[in-house]
Amino acid sequence: MKPAIFFMLASMVTSILPGQCPDRGFLWHRIIFLRDTLKNAPEEQLVELLGYEKKIDQCSYKKDSTHALLLQRIGWLYTTKHDYLNAIQYTQESIALVKQQPNNPRINPAMAIKSYYNLSLMYDILKLEAKKILAVDSSISQANYLNTWNSSVLGAITLKIEWLFSIGDYFSCITYATMGECIAFKISTTTMEAEQLICDYNYFNWKINALLFLNKTAEASRIVTDKIRFAENNRKIDFLAAYYGLYASVLRKKEKSQEAIGYFKKSFQYNQKIDYKPGCAEALNNIGYIYSNALHQNRMAIYYHFEALKFAEGNESLNILANIANLYAQAGNYDSAFSFFQKAFNQLGPGFTESDLLKSDNPELTGKITEYITGMMLYKAAAWLSKYKTTGHQQALKEAIDIYQLTDRYFEKLKVSQSEIQSKLFWKTNNRLLYEQAIEACYESRNTDKALHFFEKSRSVLLNDQIMEQRRMEDSDLAKQAQLNKNKQEIEKELQYIPSSSGESLPLLRQLIANKQEQEILVKNSNSRHPFNGRDYLDTTAISLELVRKKILNANRSLLEIFTGDSAIYILSITASNSNFVRLNKHLYDTLTTAFISYVANPQKLNRYLPGFVKISHQLYELIFQHIQLPAGGSLLISPDGKSFPFEALITNGNDRQPDYLLNHYATSYTYSARFLVNEYKVNSKHNNNLLGMAPVKFKNSFGLAELPGSDLSLQKIKSDFPDATNFVFEKATKENFLQHFPDYAIVQLYTHATDSSNNNDPVIYFSDSALNLSYLVNDRKPLTQLVVLSACETANGRLYEGEGIFSFNRGFAALGIPAAVSNLWSVDNESTYRITELFYQYLSQGLPTDVALQKAKIEFINNSSSREKTLPYFWAATILTGKVDTIKVNPGAPWKKLAVVAALFLCIGYLTKKSISNKRKKSHPLDQHENR
């Protein structure tokens, strides 16, 4: 008898015995049979399965895997009737049945994998984004825990990747795509079957696009080239349709426009062969984009965009219509432009506008649509700004600023969802255009207050988020987070040496995914326990001229914020009584700053061409300050952008015989943003540990680093100004000692070597036994530290992320909640470093603010230098203060301790003097001589 006939007869027998419990084996196979065979009769299936569900309470096998499968299938059948209330209820009952009996041998815990995935699809249909992602994570987490892989997991991973891509979390996107590839190979019997799964679930597409967004063009090119070769050898037209388009995107990123157009045309042709209209539309739209943005042939661009519309479906139409609107705006045809912008918005709903994006009842917009929306909003705002420049109508300028503000708020919504700091950085980079255009619009309208908002949103917002997140956490949370970060870094290091799609990488990827999810849960739980309140959290929207003057400035303190755009430099200066908003010529600014930096960090060039430096330095001073009114003297706080250079080395008078440096007029410091300075940092003034000094002096031979003779003696001198100080020198100056002790001290002083870049572009500080990478600078408790002094080369440098700033060690300490750091912009000789640092601490111990203490230390160093060469800015300008400029609160300690230290120094000096006289009386011999270090 055929199986189908058997099951139909069995069903009939069951139906005529209404009170009888169906056989467990029969019911299991019946559900599978209905699911896989009778796909076009959902209503009949639902009626039959609901009948079984009513009888199951009488069955001995109630609440086992068969029961869970029955509930799961009923839930899914309700979705075919669009009855999502019952669909969700039955699916949740299936999950609960499995999860509540973890030790029941009759329950297969893998049942929950598909149920969670089904639940995520239901929430996806209902546009309940947060619940969807929670269900997706649960499906992946369950599969990961059980090491069980199937098509449901692959589907859940796809939904996760789409969401990660939509919020710009490209690093996590690559991780999940790689895991999807590994699972495809694990559950497939042939390579072709695995490749088909990878193609069906779009893992490769997401991965390449994420790599391109991260500017990893070489890696993307290598991977896609291998895929094309495989598809061509196996004559897979459906693969080639996608792969040629991806390779064209790589070529476009490499600025090979004509080659990119050729491959997009190939992609279009193959998409036509397989009758895939979205692929056709995407290829033609990309050709139009290249013609407009790279080749500046707008007629050809419009032609291809209109051709793309013929194939477009759904969200792709929005992107194409926005591109057409932008081209009309560039041509000055504003009526047509705004008409097409509205047609684009109508794809989201009739009469939809940009303000609807922020309504609380608006469903979450995800996937590529997010990228399309942000691009369209920037196009539309730029069109209004262009119209203002053409017509002079103030209303057009107001419309532009309003849209920039709405776009900024929309970006803020997206940023909240991201987990990876690296991805947030790249998302910030993509926001750069928004802030430049918004600042330009504010400049045109002379709206200084709104300009300050966009200045602040263009810099170090993520740093403030890190500080706030760390402030929310208990020490136990921080300890757990530190361990998770360490685990993550070790796993990622191992993965570098394993082919991404090989089976060997799956166990590591499982650990990495589990680690990521645990981190997300940790942060979420911490946030729920300790919600922000007005005292703890300051949103950038709250930053205003009034607040800056109230919280940061006074009669003798000024703030200078700089924005480096693609076409202009903007400077916003704020004092207690006025503000100035100026625009500078970018080419002139870049030329002067580049020349200035080339001089100031090179002592030979300074010595040889001092008049040239004086001229450049004075010109740069004039360019920046000629239209800015600052109070005479006092403190100058600078929030830079892009290149870092020491403002205190700018020359105000242009006299190469007696150059008058800005140092003589202002105590200069630097800040990540005004927002950073407004933050309140909790200081525990009761702790007894004032200063921790670290000086390895000698380093491991494998480092190839020179010794730092005298650094231990310099620490001893500094210790005399601070009671309750602790020094670790020579072999005691280890990385472990540093990480273990530094959070307990008010001030931390490091005399060591450092570099601003390593093999993986990660700044490094060296200790006697090992090196500390910036990415490993995590702490397991909240530091009491108020100031870190990094007396090492290039500690103020690092990788520059546009829109967030330079990732240096001083920024790393700031992210831990330490309000200020002194660091170096370039390598400086030991003698100068020791002397300036010692003078700094002398003034600091007198109760002076940090910026004034550093200013006075530098001036005294210049005035008392033994040679004219040492007065050059190379020797004193590298050391800069970043962060708060408050007085450091330390425990005064017992007076006898300081006297004891001074007495010990005098005894030491007396002993050394006596020994020196005694040695001079001895007969000199070459073998007795040694290098004076």
Side-chain angles (χ1 to χ4, degrees), residues 8 15 29 48 200 301 360 428 525 594 681 705 878 897:
M8 289 175 66
S15 64
H29 290 293
E48 183 179 339
D200 290 344
S360 58
K428 284 279 294 178
N525 290 343
T594 301
Y681 293 87
L705 300 171
K897 289 187 178 182

Side-chain angles (χ1 to χ4, degrees), residues 71-99:
L71 293 171
Q72 180 191 93
R73 186 61 188 164
I74 291 172
W76 185 250
L77 287 170
Y78 268 117
T79 64
T80 65
K81 294 170 61 66
H82 308 293
D83 184 349
Y84 298 109
L85 183 64
N86 273 314
I88 291 170
Q89 179 183 332
Y90 273 93
T91 306
Q92 287 177 332
E93 286 180 15
S94 178
I95 292 170
L97 193 153
V98 174
K99 300 295 285 184

Side-chain angles (χ1 to χ4, degrees), residues 178-217:
T178 303
M179 188 176 189
E181 290 176 327
C182 289
I183 295 169
F185 277 98
K186 186 175 182 65
I187 66 177
S188 300
T189 56
T190 66
T191 301
M192 181 56 72
E193 186 180 326
E195 291 288 351
Q196 188 67 56
L197 280 173
I198 291 169
C199 189
D200 290 344
Y201 286 101
N202 284 322
Y203 295 138
F204 179 67
N205 300 40
W206 292 117
K207 189 173 187 176
I208 294 299
N209 279 298
L211 286 169
L212 292 177
F213 268 96
L214 295 173
N215 294 319
K216 296 188 175 184
T217 313

Side-chain angles (χ1 to χ4, degrees), residues 7-107:
F7 284 121
M8 289 175 66
L9 290 173
S11 177
M12 290 171 64
V13 170
T14 305
S15 64
I16 62 174
L17 299 171
Q20 185 177 341
C21 178
D23 177 77
R24 181 193 299 160
F26 159 78
L27 183 55
W28 177 274
H29 290 293
R30 180 63 181 165
I31 297 168
I32 299 299
F33 173 78
L34 291 173
R35 185 192 70 191
D36 296 341
T37 309
L38 304 176
K39 294 183 178 179
N40 297 322
E43 290 192 14
E44 291 83 350
Q45 288 188 52
L46 183 58
V47 170
E48 183 179 339
L49 295 185
L50 284 171
Y52 297 139
E53 196 260 337
K54 289 179 181 177
K55 299 174 185 177
I56 207 162
D57 281 337
Q58 305 167 26
C59 301
S60 61
Y61 57 85
K62 181 185 177 184
K63 295 188 177 180
D64 71 352
S65 290
T66 304
H67 191 180
L69 178 65
L70 177 64
L71 293 171
Q72 180 191 93
R73 186 61 188 164
I74 291 172
W76 185 250
L77 287 170
Y78 268 117
T79 64
T80 65
K81 294 170 61 66
H82 308 293
D83 184 349
Y84 298 109
L85 183 64
N86 273 314
I88 291 170
Q89 179 183 332
Y90 273 93
T91 306
Q92 287 177 332
E93 286 180 15
S94 178
I95 292 170
L97 193 153
V98 174
K99 300 295 285 184
Q100 290 170 7
Q101 302 180 78
N103 300 317
N104 187 342
R106 290 166 40 185
I107 288 284

Side-chain angles (χ1 to χ4, degrees), residues 19 41 69 128 150 226 282 357 712 772 826 848 860 916 923:
L69 178 65
L128 298 173
N150 52 40
D226 290 341
E282 187 174 358
L357 290 168
D712 54 328
L772 174 66
W826 58 79
L848 293 176
E860 182 173 338
S916 175
K923 186 178 180 181

Side-chain angles (χ1 to χ4, degrees), residues 464-474 478 526 530 532 535-538 678-682 782 815-817:
N464 196 76
D465 291 347
Q466 287 176 285
I467 295 169
M468 293 300 107
E469 183 179 291
Q470 192 242 183
R471 188 172 295 174
R472 279 175 160 179
M473 289 187 170
E474 304 291 344
L478 289 172
S526 176
H530 305 285
F532 284 153
R535 291 173 300 174
D536 294 330
Y537 179 70
L538 180 66
V678 171
N679 279 321
E680 296 293 334
Y681 293 87
K682 296 177 182 178
K782 294 177 183 177
L816 298 181

